Amino acid sequence: MNTGHDAQLLGAYALGALDEREVRAVEEHVAACTRCADELDELRQLHDALGEVPPEALLDGPPEGGDLLLQRTLRQVRTERGGQERKRRFAVGVAAAVVAAAFLGGGVIVGQQSAPDAPEVVALPPGTKTSAGTDPGTGASMTATVKPAAGWVRISTDIKGIPAGQKCRIMVVGKDGTRAEAGSWLVSPAGERDGTKLDGAALVPPDQVAAVEVENFDGKTFVSVPV
């Protein structure tokens, strides 16, 4: 098997997505090719920086209500796993899914840079507001980022201190008292222990947002953060 300068095959090797015969072929080629050895080192650094896509995401897709672009990316990855070039295309698809998740979550996108330890931070839209607060009664806390769009808002939250088993939702409260749901979830034991990060959207004009709240389905408010 002649691998040549195949960047996708190197990516699949870095992710451990090749069979034994392909692994041997890549290792033999890399041992004699300085260019591919350097590329493989960069791919490993990128893989370490991005982390791994959870296996459950590749099997079942993102959580219900997750961003449409991420859903499509993961669906494409799952489909291509069964094709003739499944290993190579799967490796590329995984990288795309991780980058998409980082971008949509308002985090960072790590690319090939001269300084791998200095990731580029994605600029937030003008008018973005971030607020944090803790409810003294429930002990729940939240950091909420409100990013304006054309007549509506995206919401990114980091929520801690809510007991497992609670069915909760994020509510965006308007200055006129209107309330719009931005997302909902079931608090898991891990969510109770480590907190939950959840993104959503609400049809509230950006200049009319007064607060972001977390309440359960029975109407109990765990935490409210003015924006």
Side-chain angles (χ1 to χ4, degrees):
M1 177 182 178
N2 182 17
T3 63
H5 297 289
D6 191 335
Q8 292 187 357
L9 194 61
L10 288 175
Y13 176 84
L15 290 173
L18 301 181
D19 59 32
E20 292 183 5
R21 181 177 64 88
E22 291 170 320
V23 167
R24 286 195 300 271
V26 170
E27 290 177 344
E28 290 174 0
H29 177 76
V30 169
C33 179
T34 303
R35 171 184 164 187
C36 285
D38 291 341
E39 288 183 3
L40 180 59
D41 184 59
E42 291 178 354
L43 285 169
R44 283 170 169 162
Q45 292 180 23
L46 177 61
H47 176 255
D48 292 341
L50 291 176
E52 299 181 352
V53 175
E56 60 270 19
L58 295 173
L59 294 173
D60 302 323
E64 192 68 28
D67 195 287
L68 181 58
L69 176 57
L70 182 54
Q71 291 184 19
R72 289 174 176 172
T73 303
L74 294 176
R75 189 178 302 117
Q76 180 181 356
V77 173
R78 293 196 304 274
T79 300
E80 291 179 348
R81 289 185 73 178
Q84 184 177 5
E85 297 294 327
R86 63 188 181 280
K87 293 184 179 66
R88 295 171 186 152
R89 297 165 74 181
F90 173 58
V92 175
V94 167
V98 174
V99 172
F103 175 75
L104 296 170
V108 297
I109 298 178
V110 181
Q112 182 176 336
Q113 306 175 41
S114 57
D117 57 345
E120 178 185 356
V121 178
V122 177
L124 295 173
T128 297
K129 297 180 181 180
T130 298
S131 299
T134 300
D135 189 289
T138 65
S141 64
M142 173 172 59
T143 299
T145 299
V146 179
K147 291 170 278 190
W152 54 284
V153 291
R154 284 183 180 274
I155 308 293
S156 296
T157 59
D158 186 354
I159 304 160
K160 295 180 172 66
I162 299 180
Q166 289 288 333
K167 296 180 180 179
C168 294
R169 50 193 169 203
I170 299 172
M171 303 299 296
V172 178
V173 183
K175 294 180 179 178
D176 60 357
T178 58
R179 301 171 64 82
E181 183 176 328
S184 60
W185 82 106
L186 175 65
V187 181
S188 66
E192 177 181 8
R193 182 182 66 250
D194 303 324
T196 301
K197 297 180 186 294
L198 192 69
D199 294 345
L203 193 59
V204 178
D207 61 350
Q208 295 300 308
V209 176
V212 178
E213 298 183 350
V214 175
E215 65 178 25
N216 65 13
F217 281 27
D218 294 326
K220 176 183 176 179
T221 300
F222 283 97
V223 60
S224 178
V225 176
V227 177

